[in-house]
Every structure is written in structure tokens, then in C-alpha cells.
Amino acid sequence: MRDAYQEQLDGLAEILSVMCGQVADALEKATRALLEADLQLAEEVISGDALVDETRSTAEERALALLALQAPVATDLRIVVSAIHGAGDIERMGDLALHVAQAARRRHPRPVLPPEVAPYFAEMGRIGVDLARKAGEMIRTRDLEQATAMETEDDAMDDLHRHLFTVLMDRSWPHGVGPAVDITLLGRFYERYADHAVALGRRIVFIVTGQMPGPLMV
């Protein structure tokens, strides 16, 4: 019985890890759609968001079944509760990738980004995808060191996000209000995506240590 129960807990972690892979793929495609004005990639992200939602539902159903049938305690209870919250974080990452893809579709065939800011978004996309993939591995392994490192790795995303405002506030900005609004919103989407990945790291810290790090606003 205990082996079967442990398999259920491991299966729950696997579902969340799969979700991380889904939202990493979504952001990777959405970023390419944004940079290359690729309508097909944008549509793939938009249509694929339903799969992320379905996977979240599966994770929550499994977690609630464990709560109802197994009455977990201590570490096991932390795993199940964190899985419910973590599924929400990952789904929100998928929603943010969706918003990026929708921006690319809305402006197609025109590019969304002026050339001088495109490299910033290429790097923000790379960081976001990397964080999501690391989160998937961290959920599988419950690696405390990797979990605590997530916040440090997010610093690069925050630096890029802040630097975008420097570019936009420059008096020589030649592209007008519309592109500035798009860039501001898109930068926020990437920054929040990374914040949710950091939140997943904090939940792993909670599972392993029993203590939740300080709150992160996402």
C-alpha cells in the first residue's frame, strides 16, 4: 500500500513537471513568434493553451483525491498542498506565454518590436524558458539547492525588465506611444512568468524544510 501511495505522489510531481515543459515550449514558441512575426507559431501557442489547462485540472484532481483518500501528513501533506498551488503557478505561466503569442498575432504581419529592443526580448525569452525547464527538473528531484537558486537566476530577468524602461524613457525614442505600450506590457508578461517560476522554487523549499520563504508578489 505504501509503495502505491508513493507512486501516486511521484505521479503528481511528474504531472507538474510535464506542465513545466508545456509552458517552456509555449514561451519559446511565443518568443519566436514575437521576434519573427510568425503567425503559425503564435497560433500554435494559442491553441495549445487548452492542453496546459487540462493538465492543471488533472493535477488538481489527483491532489484532491490524495487528500480525501490518503489523509497525508507532514512532508506528504506539504507535497500535495504545494502541488495544488504550484499547478496554478504553472498554468499562469502558460497564460503569460499565451498573451505574448496573442500580441504577435494581433500585430501580424507587422512586427511588434522595434529592432533596438528585440535583443532584450530574445534574452528574456531564453531566461524564462530556462527557468521553466529547471523548475520541471526541480519538481522531480526536490533539489533544495536548485530551488533556492531560482530567485538568483531571476535577477537577470528583472535587470532586463528595468532596462527596457530606460530605453522607453529616452527622449530620442522614435517609435511613438503604441509600440511603447506594447513593449511595456510584454516586458511585464516575461517578468511575471519568471516570478511564477521562482514561486515554484519557494514551494520546493517549503516541501523540503517545512518553512515557506518570504512572500513573492506575482
Side-chain angles (χ1 to χ4, degrees), residues 19 22 49-59 61 91:
M19 277 188 78
Q22 290 171 344
D49 185 63
L51 179 59
V52 178
D53 296 342
E54 291 171 9
T55 310
R56 176 187 180 173
S57 295
T58 299
E61 288 170 6
E91 184 193 25

Side-chain angles (χ1 to χ4, degrees), residues 68-90:
L69 301 176
Q70 302 291 349
V73 296
T75 300
D76 292 350
L77 179 58
R78 294 199 296 271
I79 290 171
V80 175
V81 172
S82 294
I84 294 172
H85 290 293
D89 282 312
I90 303 168

Side-chain angles (χ1 to χ4, degrees), residues 19-207:
M19 277 188 78
C20 286
Q22 290 171 344
V23 300
D25 290 343
L27 187 65
E28 188 170 46
K29 290 180 179 180
T31 301
R32 287 176 53 201
L34 188 68
L35 295 171
E36 301 168 13
D38 190 320
L39 182 60
Q40 181 176 340
L41 280 175
E43 294 290 1
E44 286 180 18
V45 176
I46 293 165
S47 62
D49 185 63
L51 179 59
V52 178
D53 296 342
E54 291 171 9
T55 310
R56 176 187 180 173
S57 295
T58 299
E60 289 181 338
E61 288 170 6
R62 298 277 185 91
L64 292 172
L66 282 166
L67 283 175
L69 301 176
Q70 302 291 349
V73 296
T75 300
D76 292 350
L77 179 58
R78 294 199 296 271
I79 290 171
V80 175
V81 172
S82 294
I84 294 172
H85 290 293
D89 282 312
I90 303 168
E91 184 193 25
R92 187 61 186 141
M93 292 165 75
D95 290 340
L96 291 162
L98 171 67
H99 295 336
V100 174
Q102 288 171 330
R105 182 175 69 176
R106 185 168 58 250
R107 299 301 185 197
H108 187 270
R110 294 182 291 114
V112 180
L113 303 175
E116 57 264 49
V117 300
Y120 297 108
F121 282 93
E123 182 63 8
M124 291 170 83
R126 185 197 65 77
I127 293 169
V129 170
D130 186 56
L131 282 169
R133 297 204 189 285
K134 286 181 176 178
E137 180 63 23
M138 172 192 68
I139 289 169
R140 283 196 184 99
T141 62
R142 294 180 211 154
D143 186 321
L144 184 60
E145 183 176 351
Q146 188 175 38
T148 55
M150 295 287 283
E151 196 156 354
T152 300
E153 295 180 33
D154 174 53
D155 289 344
M157 181 74 85
D158 292 336
D159 289 343
L160 286 164
H161 185 234
R162 283 191 293 268
H163 191 70
L164 279 175
F165 286 102
T166 302
V167 175
L168 293 174
M169 295 302 291
D170 193 308
R171 290 184 179 181
S172 64
W173 173 256
H175 302 290
V177 174
V181 171
D182 283 339
I183 291 164
T184 300
L185 289 172
L186 287 163
R188 181 60 173 155
F189 295 154
Y190 281 90
E191 189 237 358
R192 292 184 68 199
Y193 183 102
D195 284 346
H196 283 285
V198 172
L200 292 170
R202 293 182 173 207
R203 298 193 195 286
I204 295 299
V205 172
F206 173 62
I207 289 170

